Amino acid sequence: MACMKLGSKSEVFLLDGHTWLCSTGLQSDVIIEIGGTSFHLHKFPLLSRSEALANLIGDHPIENEKKCALQLHDVPGGAKTFLLIAKFCYGVKMELTPLNVVSLRCAADYLGMSEDYGEENLISQTEKFLNEVFGGWKESLKALETCEKVLPRAEELHIVSRCINSLAMKASADPSLFSWPMQGGSDMRNPNGTEFWNEIRTSAKSHPVGEDWWYEDVSLLRLPLYKRLILAVRSNDMKPETVAGALMYYAKRHLPLLGRQSSIENGNFVAPRSKISGTSEADQRNLLEELVELLPDQKGVTSSNFLLRLLRTAMKIHASPSCQWNLEKRVGAELDKASLQDLLIPNTGYSVETLYDIDCVQRILDYFMLVDHDDPTSNYIVDEEQMMEGSHLLKPIAKVANLIDSYLAEVSPDVNLKLAKFQSLASVVPEYARPLDDGIYRAIDMYLKAHPWLTDSEREQLCRLMNIQKFSLEASTHAAQNERLPVRVIVQVVFFEQLRLRTSVSGLFFVSENLDISQNLSANLALARNDLHTQEGDTHIRFVVDDMKKRVSELEKDCLSMKQEIEKMGKTKVGSWNNLFRKFGFSRSKSKSGDPIASKPTDTKESPTFSAPFVNGGDITIKNQ
């Protein structure tokens, strides 16, 4: 169904400049002006079809040899639609199509072209055709698009709501169950209804249609009608994921700045080089705010990446504070699914202090901590091997801790980043969320390198953010040689590593003793079955135990010696500390380029990078007692 033909006569209307003439052989007696166009017509064909024209012509004063002149500047559809109405009144052939039926229906209502003024009048004809239009997807969409030109009258006649309900019903239903024409994005068809596969012409066959088949079609609608359509499909119980997908498609099409993200180059903020074309910033702002309100509230429906891109755009075009807060809240609800690159939001405020918007990330993290329901008392500390396998093994709070530690490491080289802001952001993450503290240590080390003017007290305060008992072996080794750390922290690292090694050896010794006792209890049976084998195993175990006892004894002597040296030095100069480190095998020399714990090229050879994911904790104080 593409069109409906009305009338039977051939074309009798001629255009002369901006004047339409009716070539019936009779002199016209009515002149109707619409806009800048004039129609020279006859009274009788108009009176027999239109109540409004009959009243206007009848009320017009009759003067000698003067034509009746009427002005109908507010007729729906303007001169183009009135030309079709004039043809209908004269019985001239005309076509009803999805593109003109709405304006004709509104104009027919305006002119009062009901059945009281002739059978099969224009109102009944257009209504009949509209019912056919609503049966097809593309026809309904075309009709809805034309409603914008005659919106007030189309609203009164409920044409807009009927179009939207028709489209919403079709978008919400399973497309494979119906036969209405729709756009198939995966169909590579030519105009003749055939398609090519491996350069072989075949008949066009239907392909599976996904739930997003209608996204592109409706994205051509203007925002007011699009918003009403989205609300209609939501009321039809459409899946939130599908609704969110449609809104994301619409946003990418109509928000140019959404795909042009700002960046930081050489420490400077770089704005998008291309300006918005065709749409004002106010229109962009209104569009973004409306789309944010339409996004489903369910968690996990809209990707964090898209939400953060919306947030960036909202900041650039100065969207309302409520809109930005709404986006921050949505991002915070699923911060564990965000990536580091998404969180690096350039600071676009009027009073720019830092390159990146630290305050925004702080608010997002605060909201995540409000909605996160992980049990802080549950012990889910994982070992380094599990950390190496991937972050999918971690709970959301641990993923966020990893993300924030990486974010702090990325923004810490900014010399304008205040210590209070760094501490505030790092301290929000609870200690139990960090299985390892390598990540926060790396961030602290990079901050110390970029801020060498910090006092000893500030360095001590900053280092309280990390727990040296949760350092990996690589982090401990690096920290023991890190000249940027306070001496007290380095001593704690060295001392704790000694204790950890002693504990490990003692554990092995305990296991070996238990094994020795177990072997003595079963000595008779073992001797009867395999006497030779048992004697060899016993000799080996005793050798291992003796070796461990010797190592433990040496460690105890080292620890005792270290305690005595620390007590003697008190407030000794740094040179004395260096002698102490060299005595116990810890060099304070700078890391070489081949050192496995040397940092990657992101910052410095002395900045630590570790193969294990960075997740961290709190403070530890070791007393010399």
Side-chain angles (χ1 to χ4, degrees), residues 562-577:
M562 179 182 291
K563 280 186 178 182
Q564 293 173 352
E565 291 288 344
I566 292 174
E567 291 174 357
K568 290 179 181 179
M569 285 186 294
K571 298 181 179 180
T572 314
K573 295 181 180 180
V574 178
S576 300
W577 291 106

Side-chain angles (χ1 to χ4, degrees), residues 246-317:
L247 292 169
M248 291 168 62
Y249 191 98
Y250 191 86
K252 292 174 182 177
R253 181 160 193 160
H254 296 281
L255 289 174
L257 284 178
L258 195 64
R260 302 173 189 156
Q261 301 301 332
S262 304
S263 59
I264 300 293
E265 294 180 5
N266 299 325
N268 298 316
F269 170 68
V270 180
R273 294 180 175 84
S274 301
K275 296 182 178 180
I276 301 175
S277 58
T279 307
S280 66
E281 184 175 295
D283 292 337
Q284 293 263 315
R285 183 164 53 248
N286 178 64
L287 172 60
L288 187 144
E289 292 173 357
E290 291 284 357
L291 292 179
V292 170
E293 290 296 327
L294 290 173
L295 284 172
D297 294 330
Q298 291 87 340
K299 183 178 179 180
V301 170
T302 309
S303 68
S304 298
N305 172 269
F306 177 73
L307 290 173
L308 283 164
R309 289 173 63 190
L310 276 180
L311 180 57
R312 286 191 183 195
T313 306
M315 292 177 174
K316 293 173 192 173
I317 62 180

Side-chain angles (χ1 to χ4, degrees), residues 88-154:
F88 176 79
C89 293
Y90 278 84
V92 177
K93 291 180 180 180
M94 58 167 288
E95 290 183 348
L96 289 178
T97 68
L99 294 176
N100 64 26
V101 65
V102 175
S103 59
L104 283 171
R105 175 65 181 87
C106 294
D109 181 76
Y110 173 85
L111 296 173
M113 302 178 71
S114 65
E115 296 298 298
D116 295 336
Y117 286 78
E119 296 181 358
E120 297 293 324
N121 209 346
L122 192 57
I123 289 179
S124 62
Q125 294 277 20
T126 52
E127 273 294 332
K128 180 180 178 181
F129 188 72
L130 275 173
N131 291 331
E132 297 181 11
V133 166
F134 296 145
W137 167 264
K138 288 187 176 180
E139 288 77 6
S140 298
L141 189 60
K142 291 178 182 178
L144 181 60
E145 290 174 352
T146 60
C147 286
E148 293 184 352
K149 299 178 181 179
V150 290
L151 196 56
R153 182 75 59 167

Side-chain angles (χ1 to χ4, degrees), residues 195-266:
E195 61 183 3
F196 291 90
W197 180 77
N198 281 353
E199 300 181 356
I200 301 175
R201 185 187 298 269
T202 62
S203 60
K205 297 180 181 180
S206 60
H207 292 268
V209 181
E211 294 180 345
D212 61 346
W213 63 268
W214 53 281
Y215 290 0
E216 182 175 358
D217 289 344
V218 301
S219 66
L220 300 175
L221 295 173
R222 295 179 65 85
L223 180 61
L225 294 180
Y226 181 81
K227 179 179 178 180
R228 292 176 61 178
L229 176 61
I230 292 297
L231 293 175
V233 297
R234 288 177 63 174
S235 65
N236 287 346
D237 296 328
M238 177 175 284
K239 293 190 298 185
E241 293 82 1
T242 307
V243 176
L247 292 169
M248 291 168 62
Y249 191 98
Y250 191 86
K252 292 174 182 177
R253 181 160 193 160
H254 296 281
L255 289 174
L257 284 178
L258 195 64
R260 302 173 189 156
Q261 301 301 332
S262 304
S263 59
I264 300 293
E265 294 180 5
N266 299 325

Side-chain angles (χ1 to χ4, degrees), residues 589-604:
S589 61
K590 294 184 179 180
S591 303
K592 299 179 181 180
S593 59
D595 194 335
I597 63 170
S599 177
K600 295 180 181 179
T602 55
D603 185 36
T604 175

